Amino acid sequence: LLVLAACGNDTQQKPAGPTTAAAPVQAVTLKLAETWGPNYPIFGDATKKLAAMVDEMSGGRLRITIDSANKHKAPLGVLDMVKSGQYDMGHSASYYWKGKDPNTLYFTSMPFGMTAPEQHAWFYYGGGMELMEKVYAKHGVLSFPGGNTGNQMGGWFRKEINSVDDLQGLKMRIPGFAGEVLAKVGAKPTNIAPGELYTALERNTIDALEWVGPSLDLRMGFHKIAPYYYTGWHEPGTELQFIVNRKSWDALPDDLRAILRTAMQAVAYDMYSRAYHDSAENWVAMKREFPEIQVKTFPREVLVALKKANEELLAEFAAADPLAREIIDSLAAYQTKARAWTAISDQAYLNSMPE
Amino acid sequence: MTGIVMFVVALVLLLLGFPVAFTFGGVAVLFGVLAQGWDLFALMPFRVYSIMQNTVLMAVPLFIFMGVVLQKTELAEQLLESMGRLFGTLRGGLAVSTILVGALLAASTGVVGASVVAMGVISLPVMLRYGYSPALACGTICGAGTLGQIIPPSIILIILGDVLGLPVGDLFQAAVMPGLVLVVLYIAYVLTRAHVNPVSAPAIPFVGKTQAPLQQYLTALRAIVPPLSLIIVVLGSIFAGIATPTESSALGGIGAILLAVLYRKFSWSMLYASALETVKVTAMVFAILLGATAFSMAFSYTGGDQAVEGFLLQLPGEKWGFLVFSMLVILVLGFFIDFVEISFIVVPILAPIAEALDISMLWFAVLIAMNLQTSFLTPPFGFSLFYLKGVAPPQVTTLDVYRGVVPFILIQLAVLLSILITPAIYGLN
Amino acid sequence: MNQATLKLQRAFERFADTLGVISAVLLLGLVANVFYDVVMRYLFNDVSIGMQELEWHLFSAIFLLGTAYALKVDGHVRVDLVYERLPPRRQALIDMVGTVVFIWPFCLLVADYGIDFAAEAYSIGEISGDPGGLPMRWIIKGMIPLAFACVVVTSIGFLLRALHRYHGIDVATARRSGLS
Ligand code: NA
Ligand code: NA
């Protein structure tokens, strides 16, 4: 899962850099609240880049000021604050709002779902944006892709998972929908305050936890206390979101709207590259400094059970709400289509590659 | 600018003596609404809700409950008195015992509000009854109660780990030595003070002269074991992985009840009175947090944090100059702003500079943690001081508390300096 | 300053006491709740997110409702460097002015915006996002406006007590009760 800034994070934000031109007339300032701290790697940089980009592209007519979690103190209040107009924009992750609106769940990443490129294709060309708009319309908010972390790791485990039996009673910190899937096969998702995660894992209060991936796990130090690093299954391409208050958006002149839209798309892609880069770099560092880390993949039997649980849950969600069904069907259909291409392109290429 | 005015106004108004929590809240309304309009306060429920969801803070009521039960059943008294007696004719034994118990509590919680208040409930009345000077008693409790912030687990270290991108485990390890050094120095100070000024810290006489000395020591030991083992069970439950630090404080509460039953001191009315007392003290602690979050909201949304940032960017750009000045800035800010705000406003600005100067981040983090620990004790806005005053009997004045912490602040500064000058001693660098 | 206002003060104080009783019961519930969760997890390897969430629901209700109670028993800490040296009439005046100038604007504002905050949760039917978490988030969010409103209500009793003290009638209250 994404990092939930432990209640109030990081520092005050510089306003977007000043422009060299003379003070422009009618500059618009949008206030943005983000779930993370500004110095939070990758995520925090994405909003800073957005602010710099729109400033430059608009010749200083569009400014974005960023308030990080340290300032607004409500990492999980971003949707509410944008909805109620306290802020014009937000940068967060859609699945955080699952408890407020179950249909927001599908726009971040789903277990056994699409990879980042597949999902981007779905968003921009496969009807994803339209569905996301439909879901967010009732909150008076527009939503846009806001940067992808790439495939997230399955988490740090103190013991090996060799069978579904090993999952029985496994106490794991894994929130949200993925936790529900695990619970369905007998694991015990457990809430632990982020600040106590390290101690809890170290002392075996819990058996496992999931965080993000090499790009952000290294700084948590979990590799020192849990030998097994499992590959991912539950968040194959975690997309953040920019959300914009509808009224603030409508009040923008056409050109600024175009600038903002373009900048958000550019930043989203940039963050994906950046996350890929950091994960690659950090993984090299982790392997070098901690050769004892053992990368594992869940055995087939376990993944089959998890996938089955996942499908059953999705079927329940689909049965409960027509819009949920529409989204789930769209995701599934697009994944089938995109995956067939992935199979004979990237997958085939990687598999065929000589050592 | 508004930020500075806010602090001055708050300071003056606090001196009027109206409850701290609401004075903070009122000043926040005054400045926040003037500068930003009513709607600024639409953000308050989010801030309150964040405090509500911060489960680590649950340690506050749970710890206080344990302390109150131990106090109401006189088990805490028995523990401290007996520990004090073991010192025989050596004066200051009660204060030393308080520091030792404080260090043990510190190892099981990272929430200062929890340990200071629990210590205040447990040991302040005992020390006063044995004729300790109120200032020394208060200083000892504030010092010992605030140890929780440097001795792991600790909230400061967790936040610093997050802000500086350091593994929490490494930070915890690095902070153990400085914490222990503080404990030793506190004890040394108390013993010296008791020696120089015997009236301030009398020895506890053995009751009844009939018993042989050995017998008396055994009796004292017997009295110590149960309450002390309770504290050790709390600690042990964390190390054994039975409970998280927060949860361990609930085990402490249950354990205290069991002890009461064991000693035939349990009654339902005692339990109810303990719960009610806990509610009152907990509310006192959290009301301050609620007022303070409103205050910090008004401060940062009226541009206060930008002012701090602008100032920080003018720090000297050479290693030792930077280190000394950044420590001074944090220390001075600590008089006014609470440690969370400092960690989030100041540290992220300093961190890249420190990194560029090739300063070891772990060392830097420990320096900051030690420095921030001091902020709990520095008047006028020292949270430990508020908390202790909140549970102190009426005859203890604010001035007693302020006066009492000065030596402990100086000790902390000395340790801070020693970490700065000779990090090698602490295994840093 | 007559029997009626004294009666009124007592009525407000009874209200505050009730909040204290509720919080005290919730506190015992919290201790039991956390203990139960630890035992279930450690001995029976069973975890319920709902029970875990109940912990912070209880915890926050305790300190929120307790804040009003603490006002009645004068549990909120003061910087009394000057205050303790003032004559009772001056102290009473500070308490009266402080109630009107500090408590009311602050608490009414938070209570007012807190209603919107809870109403939003109610209107969208917000629940926990975690497996087995608690439903009806509006209840715990509603504790914010409720608690701040309770402080305002209790503060009227606090104000009346100060008013009586100002006029030389010191009604025996639970000041410092239970402490020391
Ligand atoms: Na601690
Ligand atoms: Na201070």
Side-chain angles (χ1 to χ4, degrees):
Chain A
L1 195 96
L2 290 178
V3 182
L4 281 195
C7 191
N9 224 340
D10 292 43
T11 186
Q12 156 61 17
Q13 187 55 42
K14 275 186 264 284
T19 47
T20 43
V25 275
Q26 283 182 324
V28 181
T29 301
L30 298 177
K31 290 187 290 178
L32 180 147
E34 60 185 357
T35 293
W36 9 91
N39 285 12
Y40 206 81
I42 308 173
F43 301 0
D45 294 323
T47 48
K48 281 180 191 162
K49 276 192 180 153
L50 180 76
M53 215 181 269
V54 297
D55 188 19
E56 199 172 356
M57 288 162 88
S58 68
R61 286 173 54 232
L62 183 58
R63 301 275 179 89
I64 294 176
T65 58
I66 303 161
D67 283 355
S68 307
N70 72 299
K71 184 157 179 178
H72 55 69
K73 293 280 192 317
L76 296 185
V78 169
L79 175 62
D80 291 303
M81 293 190 296
V82 173
K83 189 173 172 178
S84 64
Q86 291 299 315
Y87 283 91
D88 305 295
M89 294 185 70
H91 190 228
S92 193
S94 196
Y95 62 13
Y96 290 154
W97 325 128
K98 171 175 175 267
K100 299 176 192 292
D101 182 343
N103 289 335
T104 56
L105 169 67
Y106 309 99
F107 304 103
T108 306
S109 187
M110 294 300 287
F112 303 103
M114 289 186 270
T115 61
E118 291 168 343
Q119 190 173 255
H120 268 157
W122 176 70
F123 270 124
Y124 294 117
Y125 297 99
M129 289 292 277
E130 289 77 7
L131 285 168
M132 186 153 70
E133 194 176 330
K134 222 177 193 173
V135 168
Y136 279 88
K138 77 170 182 191
H139 299 287
V141 158
L142 295 167
S143 178
F144 304 85
N148 205 294
T149 66
N151 211 316
Q152 296 206 1
M153 291 297 278
W156 297 93
F157 287 68
R158 303 263 299 186
K159 57 177 193 181
E160 239 178 305
I161 304 299
N162 293 317
S163 64
V164 176
D165 277 349
D166 289 340
L167 286 179
Q168 302 311 305
L170 180 95
K171 287 163 288 188
M172 180 168 186
R173 179 266 178 196
I174 177 165
F177 183 75
E180 251 173 282
V181 174
L182 265 177
K184 222 173 157 71
V185 297
K188 298 287 175 191
T190 306
N191 273 351
I192 302 280
E196 294 189 330
L197 267 181
Y198 185 89
T199 317
L201 184 62
E202 184 186 30
R203 302 289 173 203
N204 281 325
T205 315
I206 52 173
D207 308 306
L209 58 81
E210 62 88 54
W211 202 241
V212 178
S215 61
L216 292 166
D217 287 8
L218 190 59
R219 68 206 305 278
M220 299 296 289
F222 298 135
H223 49 281
K224 296 185 177 166
I225 47 175
Y228 304 110
Y229 199 20
Y230 273 87
T231 58
W233 60 276
H234 66 299
E235 292 191 33
T238 307
E239 188 73 34
L240 308 184
Q241 268 77 24
F242 286 115
I243 50 177
V244 187
N245 179 291
R246 175 104 232 170
K247 284 187 196 132
S248 306
W249 176 261
D250 288 344
L252 287 178
D254 287 346
D255 61 335
L256 294 187
R257 230 183 271 171
I259 285 172
L260 183 57
R261 189 197 295 274
T262 308
M264 287 190 293
Q265 192 168 349
V267 165
Y269 191 76
D270 178 76
M271 198 195 102
Y272 177 44
S273 314
R274 167 74 194 285
Y276 219 102
H277 172 74
D278 280 23
S279 284
E281 293 242 300
N282 283 1
W283 177 234
V284 170
M286 268 165 137
K287 265 198 310 197
R288 189 182 51 230
E289 287 168 41
F290 304 97
E292 63 278 13
I293 299 175
Q294 300 184 48
V295 175
K296 295 265 173 192
T297 297
F298 289 130
R300 189 115 216 113
E301 174 210 354
V302 170
L303 289 167
V304 166
L306 288 170
K307 191 157 183 283
K308 182 163 164 280
N310 182 56
E311 278 157 10
E312 285 167 9
L313 270 175
L314 286 179
E316 282 171 34
F317 282 35
D321 178 32
L323 183 52
R325 175 177 298 283
E326 197 182 337
I327 303 167
I328 291 167
D329 287 350
S330 167
L331 277 169
Y334 201 83
Q335 181 166 335
T336 308
K337 182 160 56 182
R339 191 58 54 82
W341 163 238
T342 306
I344 64 154
S345 57
D346 288 347
Q347 200 171 1
Y349 167 74
L350 293 173
N351 291 343
S352 65
M353 188 94 156
E355 282 299 309
Chain B
M1 202 47 220
T2 321
I4 297 174
V5 179
M6 256 185 85
F7 276 108
V8 175
V9 171
L11 193 58
V12 172
L13 293 176
L14 276 178
L15 281 177
L16 287 178
F18 196 71
V20 172
F22 301 111
T23 309
F24 275 141
V27 174
V29 171
L30 183 69
F31 284 87
V33 170
L34 274 183
Q36 301 277 312
W38 301 110
D39 274 355
L40 177 64
F41 275 76
L43 295 172
M44 261 306 281
F46 292 100
R47 299 172 89 88
V48 177
Y49 195 56
S50 285
I51 294 176
M52 291 159 66
Q53 285 185 296
N54 188 349
T55 49
V56 173
L57 294 177
M58 272 190 324
V60 174
L62 294 172
F63 243 88
I64 294 172
F65 179 69
M66 175 178 77
V68 173
V69 172
L70 287 178
Q71 187 244 344
K72 287 227 188 290
T73 53
E74 289 158 14
L75 287 166
E77 196 179 322
Q78 180 187 317
L79 167 71
L80 289 168
E81 279 176 359
S82 305
M83 277 177 87
R85 277 201 188 100
L86 290 184
F87 287 81
T89 51
L90 193 61
R91 283 179 290 267
L94 206 45
V96 174
S97 311
T98 299
I99 294 169
L100 290 176
V101 171
L104 285 177
L105 289 187
S108 51
T109 183
V111 184
V112 164
S115 45
V116 168
V117 172
M119 297 292 299
V121 168
I122 292 174
S123 80
L124 187 54
V126 184
M127 284 204 270
L128 292 178
R129 188 146 38 74
Y130 280 96
Y132 271 62
S133 97
L136 179 62
C138 291
T140 305
I141 292 170
C142 284
T146 310
L147 282 172
Q149 208 49 270
I150 193 85
I151 296 179
S154 139
I155 291 188
I156 279 193
L157 295 175
I158 289 166
I159 295 178
L160 286 177
D162 187 28
V163 174
L164 295 173
L166 291 169
V168 178
D170 293 8
L171 267 174
F172 279 7
Q173 261 168 21
V176 172
M177 259 297 277
L180 291 181
V181 169
L182 270 185
V183 174
V184 171
L185 290 181
Y186 286 175
I187 292 175
Y189 163 72
V190 166
L191 290 177
T192 314
R193 169 79 193 270
H195 184 74
V196 175
N197 183 4
V199 200
S200 66
I204 302 184
F206 278 111
V207 275
K209 296 286 173 208
T210 49
Q211 278 181 319
L214 181 68
Q215 209 62 36
Q216 291 178 326
Y217 275 104
L218 283 179
T219 315
L221 268 178
R222 253 204 306 277
I224 291 172
V225 171
L228 200 61
S229 58
L230 169 66
I231 294 174
I232 287 165
V233 163
V234 171
L235 265 181
S237 71
I238 302 172
F239 285 98
I242 296 171
T244 64
T246 306
E247 291 167 338
S248 77
S249 41
L251 300 188
I254 298 280
I257 295 174
L258 288 181
L259 275 185
V261 173
L262 211 67
Y263 281 77
R264 301 180 192 289
K265 286 180 171 164
F266 178 85
S267 70
W268 292 104
S269 63
M270 180 281 295
L271 189 64
Y272 172 70
S274 300
L276 199 60
E277 175 74 15
T278 305
V279 164
K280 173 176 145 184
V281 178
T282 301
M284 179 272 291
V285 170
F286 279 89
I288 294 178
L289 292 184
L290 294 177
T293 195
F295 188 80
S296 84
M297 178 180 77
F299 177 76
S300 58
Y301 280 82
T302 52
D305 41 5
Q306 270 143 333
V308 171
E309 185 180 343
F311 177 75
L312 286 176
L313 291 173
Q314 300 165 3
L315 287 183
E318 159 273 331
K319 182 176 168 183
W320 285 101
F322 167 79
L323 276 173
V324 170
F325 275 94
S326 58
M327 285 305 123
L328 280 176
V329 167
I330 292 177
L331 186 68
V332 172
L333 283 172
F335 279 82
F336 304 101
I337 313 180
D338 88 272
F339 75 98
V340 180
E341 299 298 325
I342 296 177
S343 310
F344 286 137
I345 297 174
V346 176
V347 177
I349 303 168
L350 298 180
I353 310 178
E355 213 157 13
L357 293 172
D358 227 11
I359 292 167
S360 147
M361 286 319 258
L362 201 60
W363 177 41
F364 193 53
V366 173
L367 283 171
I368 295 172
M370 184 56 84
N371 199 335
L372 286 178
Q373 158 141 322
T374 311
S375 74
F376 279 90
L377 301 180
T378 44
F381 300 92
F383 279 31
S384 290
L385 312 177
F386 291 148
Y387 297 151
L388 181 65
K389 181 68 178 72
V391 293
Q395 73 265 29
V396 173
T397 65
T398 302
L399 208 57
D400 289 331
V401 183
Y402 283 5
R403 258 206 299 259
V405 290
V406 172
F408 291 88
I409 294 173
L410 293 178
I411 291 173
Q412 293 193 351
L413 292 181
V415 174
L416 176 65
L417 202 64
S418 75
I419 303 175
L420 191 63
I421 298 171
T422 55
I425 297 180
Y426 298 92
L428 296 159
N429 247 11
Chain C
M1 300 343 93
N2 50 32
Q3 283 311 309
T5 55
L6 282 172
K7 243 188 199 149
L8 203 59
Q9 178 192 332
R10 280 195 204 100
F12 280 110
E13 291 184 344
R14 267 198 302 277
F15 173 73
D17 284 334
T18 311
L19 295 176
V21 174
I22 294 171
S23 302
V25 172
L26 293 179
L27 178 87
L28 294 176
L30 173 66
V31 175
N33 187 170
V34 178
F35 184 68
Y36 171 86
D37 287 347
V38 172
V39 169
M40 289 308 283
R41 188 185 58 227
Y42 190 71
L43 294 183
F44 302 97
N45 221 35
D46 196 6
V47 183
S48 154
I49 298 252
M51 285 300 283
Q52 283 198 307
E53 287 185 353
L54 188 60
E55 291 176 8
W56 69 262
H57 280 58
L58 290 171
F59 149 70
S60 38
I62 291 162
F63 77 76
L64 284 171
L65 296 177
T67 299
Y69 168 71
L71 185 64
K72 184 254 166 180
V73 289
D74 221 354
H76 289 296
V77 63
R78 307 165 182 265
V79 177
D80 53 6
L81 288 170
V82 179
Y83 186 82
E84 68 194 355
R85 293 191 171 77
L86 297 176
R89 269 174 75 96
R90 197 62 69 76
Q91 290 184 347
L93 196 65
I94 286 175
D95 281 359
M96 285 189 283
V97 175
T99 302
V100 177
V101 176
F102 293 149
I103 296 186
W104 288 356
F106 175 55
C107 293
L108 286 172
L109 260 180
V110 180
D112 184 30
Y113 284 108
I115 293 173
D116 300 345
F117 183 70
E120 164 75 12
Y122 180 79
S123 70
I124 61 177
E126 183 175 355
I127 58 168
S128 164
D130 286 328
L134 297 180
M136 296 191 278
R137 274 285 147 89
W138 65 269
I139 297 179
I140 193 63
K141 287 189 166 181
M143 290 306 294
I144 297 174
L146 180 69
F148 279 81
C150 285
V151 174
V152 174
V153 173
T154 310
S155 75
I156 300 172
F158 182 77
L159 180 86
L160 285 173
R161 194 170 82 222
L163 186 68
H164 290 132
R165 207 160 68 237
Y166 187 79
H167 289 281
I169 313 164
D170 204 350
V171 185
T173 59
R175 185 170 152 78
R176 309 284 187 191
S177 70
L179 276 185
S180 81

